[in-house]
Amino acid sequence: PSAQFLFSVKSTVPASGNIAIDSVSITIIGTAQTESLYNVQYTTASPAKSPSMNTYVTTGGIVTGVYNGTTVPPTQSGYYVQTSGASAWAAVNVYDFSHAVTQGDSVTFSGLVEEYFNETEIAQVVNFTKVSSGNTLPAPILVGLNTIQNEKYEGMLVKVKDVSDVRYNATGGWYVFSDSTGGIDTVDKVFYKYSFTQGKKYNITGIVHFNYANWI
C-alpha cells in the first residue's frame, strides 16, 4: 500500500549548480504470467501481433545473438533468445540495457511484451537470472528467401543457402540477396559487418529481425 524511494544523484560536471528530479514514473508490475516463447509469439491474427501484447510475462531461453545501440562507444542494447529444439514461433527480441549477456547464455526474466514496428519485443526487463553459460546454440532452420518473410520465423536463428548478392545499399549498409526460390531478402549489419562480393554465392546464418521488413 505504500513505499519509500530514495534517489542518489551525483553531478559529474563541476560547478553545475543544483540537480532536481522533476518527475518520476513508477510502474507496478505485479505478478507476471509465466509463458513460453511460443505462447508469446504464436498468433493467427492479422496483423500478427503478440497475444501477450501490453502484458508482463516471465519467460526465457538461449541467447542466440547480442546487438549494440548507437552510442559511442556502442553499448549492449538487446539480445535475442530462443527455445532449443524449436522450429518456429519460439524466439523473441529482448530490449535490455541493464543485463550483460553473451551467446549461449541460458536466461530467464520478466518483462513487458511490446510491438515495435511490428516486431515483438520484451522490454522493461526485471527478475533477470543467468541460469548457465556456454550452451550450444539452437540449430539454425534452413529456409528459402521466398519463405523467410513469415511471422513464425521472427527472432529465429535461420540459414539460407546459395544466395547471391543483388545490390548493396550504401546508405543503410545492407545487402540485398536472391536465391533459386525466387525470393529476395536483405542481410543487415545488426550483429557484425561483412563485405560480400557481387556475383558470388553464400551460405548465411543469422537471426530474422524486423526493420520495416523481415531481414536477416
Side-chain angles (χ1 to χ4, degrees):
S2 63
Q4 183 181 36
F5 297 90
L6 303 178
F7 295 91
S8 176
V9 182
K10 178 182 179 181
S11 172
T12 59
V13 181
S16 61
N18 296 328
I19 297 175
I21 299 177
D22 294 324
S23 62
V24 176
S25 175
I26 299 173
T27 301
I28 300 175
I29 294 178
T31 303
Q33 181 70 34
T34 299
E35 295 285 4
S36 66
L37 293 177
Y38 180 91
N39 286 342
V40 170
Q41 282 284 21
Y42 179 76
T43 181
T44 58
S46 181
K49 306 222 180 256
S50 168
S52 301
M53 187 171 66
N54 297 327
T55 65
Y56 287 91
V57 299
T58 296
T59 189
I62 302 296
V63 176
T64 55
V66 181
Y67 60 89
N68 294 326
T70 57
T71 57
V72 180
T75 57
Q76 177 193 303
S77 57
Y79 44 91
Y80 284 84
V81 295
Q82 181 173 327
T83 304
S84 292
S87 59
W89 301 107
V92 73
N93 176 15
V94 185
Y95 187 65
D96 180 11
F97 284 87
S98 303
H99 305 97
V101 298
T102 58
Q103 277 187 317
D105 286 349
S106 175
V107 298
T108 61
F109 51 87
S110 301
L112 177 66
V113 180
E114 301 176 335
E115 292 286 338
Y116 182 73
F117 286 107
N118 293 329
E119 180 180 45
T120 303
E121 68 177 22
I122 297 179
Q124 301 183 29
V125 173
V126 296
N127 301 329
F128 176 91
T129 300
K130 185 180 294 186
V131 179
S132 60
S133 299
N135 297 282
T136 301
L137 296 185
I141 303 166
L142 184 62
V143 295
L145 293 184
N146 65 331
T147 59
I148 198 172
Q149 294 198 21
N150 189 306
E151 188 76 16
K152 67 181 181 180
Y153 296 130
E154 181 182 85
M156 301 288 290
L157 190 64
V158 302
K159 182 176 182 178
V160 292
K161 298 180 66 175
D162 296 329
V163 296
S164 299
D165 176 27
V166 176
R167 61 181 174 85
Y168 174 68
N169 184 302
T171 302
W174 58 72
Y175 293 84
V176 180
F177 283 84
S178 66
D179 68 1
S180 60
T181 67
I184 297 177
D185 203 47
T186 304
V187 174
D188 200 5
K189 59 183 188 308
V190 173
F191 298 105
Y192 59 87
K193 294 181 180 180
Y194 186 86
S195 297
F196 296 95
T197 301
Q198 193 168 24
K200 287 189 176 182
K201 289 191 174 183
Y202 296 89
N203 297 333
I204 302 174
T205 299
I207 296 171
V208 177
H209 73 103
F210 193 94
N211 192 346
Y212 306 103
N214 277 339
W215 290 351
I216 298 175

